[in-house]
Coordinates of all heavy atoms in Angstrom, one line a residue:
V1341 N -6.8 11.3 1.8 CA -7.0 12.7 1.8 C -5.7 13.3 2.3 O -5.2 14.2 1.7 CB -8.1 13.1 2.8 CG1 -8.2 14.6 3.1 CG2 -9.4 12.6 2.4
D1342 N -5.2 12.9 3.5 CA -4.0 13.5 4.1 C -2.8 13.4 3.2 O -2.0 14.3 3.0 CB -3.7 12.9 5.5 CG -4.8 13.4 6.5 OD1 -5.6 14.2 6.1 OD2 -4.6 13.1 7.6
L1343 N -2.7 12.1 2.7 CA -1.4 11.9 1.8 C -1.5 12.8 0.6 O -0.5 13.3 0.1 CB -1.3 10.4 1.4 CG 0.0 10.1 0.6 CD1 1.1 10.4 1.4 CD2 -0.1 8.6 0.4
L1344 N -2.7 12.9 -0.1 CA -2.8 13.7 -1.3 C -2.4 15.2 -1.0 O -1.7 15.8 -1.7 CB -4.3 13.6 -1.8 CG -4.6 14.4 -3.0 CD1 -3.7 13.9 -4.2 CD2 -6.0 14.3 -3.4
H1345 N -2.9 15.7 0.1 CA -2.5 17.1 0.6 C -1.1 17.2 0.7 O -0.5 18.1 0.4 CB -3.4 17.4 1.8 CG -3.0 18.9 2.3 ND1 -3.3 20.0 1.7 CD2 -2.2 19.2 3.3 CE1 -2.9 21.0 2.3 NE2 -2.2 20.6 3.4
L1346 N -0.6 16.3 1.4 CA 0.9 16.3 1.8 C 1.8 16.4 0.5 O 2.7 17.0 0.4 CB 1.3 15.2 2.7 CG 2.7 15.2 3.2 CD1 3.0 16.3 4.1 CD2 3.0 13.9 4.1
L1347 N 1.3 15.5 -0.4 CA 2.0 15.4 -1.7 C 2.0 16.6 -2.6 O 2.7 16.7 -3.6 CB 1.8 14.1 -2.4 CG 2.1 12.8 -1.8 CD1 1.6 11.5 -2.5 CD2 3.6 12.7 -1.6
T1348 N 0.9 17.4 -2.3 CA 0.8 18.7 -3.0 C 2.0 19.6 -2.6 O 2.6 20.3 -3.4 CB -0.5 19.4 -2.7 OG1 -1.6 18.5 -2.9 CG2 -0.6 20.6 -3.3
V1349 N 2.5 19.4 -1.3 CA 3.7 20.1 -0.9 C 4.9 19.4 -1.3 O 5.9 19.9 -1.8 CB 3.6 20.4 0.6 CG1 4.8 21.1 1.1 CG2 2.3 21.1 0.9
Q1350 N 4.9 18.0 -0.9 CA 6.0 17.2 -1.4 C 5.8 16.4 -2.6 O 5.7 15.2 -2.6 CB 6.3 16.2 -0.2 CG 6.3 16.8 1.3 CD 7.7 17.2 1.7 OE1 8.0 18.4 1.6 NE2 8.5 16.3 2.0
G1351 N 5.7 17.1 -3.7 CA 5.1 16.6 -4.9 C 6.1 15.5 -5.7 O 5.6 14.8 -6.4
A1352 N 7.2 15.5 -5.3 CA 8.2 14.7 -6.1 C 7.9 13.2 -6.0 O 8.2 12.4 -7.0 CB 9.7 14.9 -5.5
D1353 N 7.2 12.9 -4.9 CA 7.0 11.3 -4.6 C 5.6 11.0 -5.0 O 5.1 9.9 -4.8 CB 7.2 11.0 -3.2 CG 8.8 11.3 -2.9 OD1 9.6 10.9 -3.7 OD2 9.0 11.8 -1.9
R1354 N 4.8 11.9 -5.6 CA 3.3 11.7 -5.9 C 3.1 10.4 -6.8 O 2.2 9.6 -6.5 CB 2.6 12.9 -6.5 CG 1.2 12.9 -6.6 CD 0.7 14.1 -7.2 NE 1.0 15.2 -6.5 CZ 1.5 16.3 -7.0 NH1 1.7 16.4 -8.3 NH2 1.7 17.4 -6.1
D1355 N 4.0 10.3 -7.8 CA 3.7 9.2 -8.7 C 3.9 7.9 -8.1 O 3.2 7.0 -8.3 CB 4.7 9.5 -9.9 CG 4.5 8.3 -10.9 OD1 3.4 8.2 -11.5 OD2 5.5 7.6 -11.2
L1356 N 5.1 7.8 -7.3 CA 5.3 6.5 -6.6 C 4.2 6.1 -5.7 O 3.6 5.0 -5.6 CB 6.6 6.6 -5.8 CG 7.0 5.3 -5.1 CD1 7.1 4.1 -5.9 CD2 8.2 5.6 -4.2
F1357 N 3.6 7.1 -4.8 CA 2.5 6.7 -4.0 C 1.3 6.3 -4.7 O 0.6 5.5 -4.4 CB 2.3 7.9 -3.0 CG 3.2 7.9 -1.8 CD1 4.2 8.9 -1.7 CD2 3.0 7.1 -0.8 CE1 5.1 8.9 -0.6 CE2 3.8 7.0 0.3 CZ 4.7 8.1 0.4
A1358 N 1.1 7.0 -5.8 CA -0.1 6.7 -6.7 C -0.1 5.3 -7.2 O -1.1 4.5 -7.2 CB -0.2 7.6 -7.9
R1359 N 1.2 4.8 -7.4 CA 1.3 3.4 -8.0 C 1.3 2.4 -6.8 O 1.2 1.1 -7.1 CB 2.8 3.3 -8.5 CG 3.0 4.1 -9.8 CD 4.2 3.6 -10.6 NE 5.4 3.3 -9.9 CZ 6.3 4.2 -9.8 NH1 6.2 5.4 -10.3 NH2 7.4 3.9 -9.2
T1360 N 1.0 2.8 -5.6 CA 0.8 1.8 -4.4 C -0.8 1.5 -4.2 O -1.0 0.8 -3.4 CB 1.5 2.3 -3.1 OG1 0.8 3.5 -2.8 CG2 2.9 2.5 -3.4
Q1361 N -1.5 2.3 -5.0 CA -3.0 2.1 -4.8 C -3.4 0.7 -5.3 O -2.8 0.3 -6.3 CB -3.8 3.2 -5.4 CG -3.4 4.6 -4.8 CD -3.5 4.7 -3.3 OE1 -4.7 4.4 -2.8 NE2 -2.5 5.1 -2.6
P1362 N -4.4 0.1 -4.7 CA -4.8 -1.3 -5.3 C -5.0 -1.3 -6.7 O -4.5 -2.3 -7.4 CB -6.0 -1.7 -4.4 CG -5.7 -0.9 -3.1 CD -5.0 0.4 -3.5
S1363 N -5.9 -0.3 -7.2 CA -6.1 -0.3 -8.6 C -4.9 -0.2 -9.5 O -4.7 -0.8 -10.5 CB -7.2 0.8 -9.0 OG -6.6 2.0 -8.6
A1364 N -3.9 0.7 -9.0 CA -2.7 1.0 -9.8 C -1.9 -0.4 -9.8 O -1.1 -0.7 -10.8 CB -2.0 2.1 -9.3
L1365 N -1.8 -1.0 -8.7 CA -0.9 -2.3 -8.5 C -1.5 -3.3 -9.4 O -0.8 -4.0 -10.1 CB -1.0 -2.8 -7.2 CG 0.0 -2.0 -6.1 CD1 -0.2 -2.4 -4.7 CD2 1.5 -2.0 -6.5
C1366 N -2.9 -3.5 -9.5 CA -3.5 -4.5 -10.3 C -3.2 -4.1 -11.8 O -2.8 -5.0 -12.5 CB -5.0 -4.4 -10.1 SG -5.4 -5.6 -8.8
E1367 N -3.3 -2.8 -12.1 CA -3.1 -2.4 -13.6 C -1.7 -2.6 -14.0 O -1.3 -3.0 -15.1 CB -3.3 -0.9 -13.7 CG -3.3 -0.5 -15.1 CD -3.7 1.0 -15.2 OE1 -4.3 1.6 -14.3 OE2 -3.5 1.6 -16.4
A1368 N -0.7 -2.6 -13.0 CA 0.7 -2.7 -13.3 C 1.0 -4.2 -13.6 O 1.9 -4.5 -14.4 CB 1.5 -2.2 -12.2
V1369 N 0.2 -5.1 -13.0 CA 0.5 -6.6 -13.2 C -0.4 -7.1 -14.1 O -0.2 -8.4 -14.5 CB 0.4 -7.3 -11.8 CG1 1.4 -6.8 -10.8 CG2 -1.0 -7.3 -11.3
M1370 N -1.4 -6.5 -14.7 CA -2.4 -7.1 -15.7 C -1.7 -7.5 -16.9 O -2.1 -8.6 -17.4 CB -3.5 -6.2 -15.8 CG -4.6 -6.1 -14.7 SD -6.0 -5.1 -14.9 CE -6.8 -5.9 -16.3

Side-chain angles (χ1 to χ4, degrees):
V1341 177
D1342 285 4
L1343 183 57
L1344 180 62
H1345 175 74
L1346 187 61
L1347 290 174
T1348 302
V1349 181
Q1350 308 272 103
D1353 300 314
R1354 186 181 301 132
D1355 181 60
L1356 176 62
F1357 277 103
R1359 297 202 306 270
T1360 65
Q1361 299 306 302
S1363 58
L1365 286 171
C1366 274
E1367 186 174 351
V1369 303
M1370 282 178 71

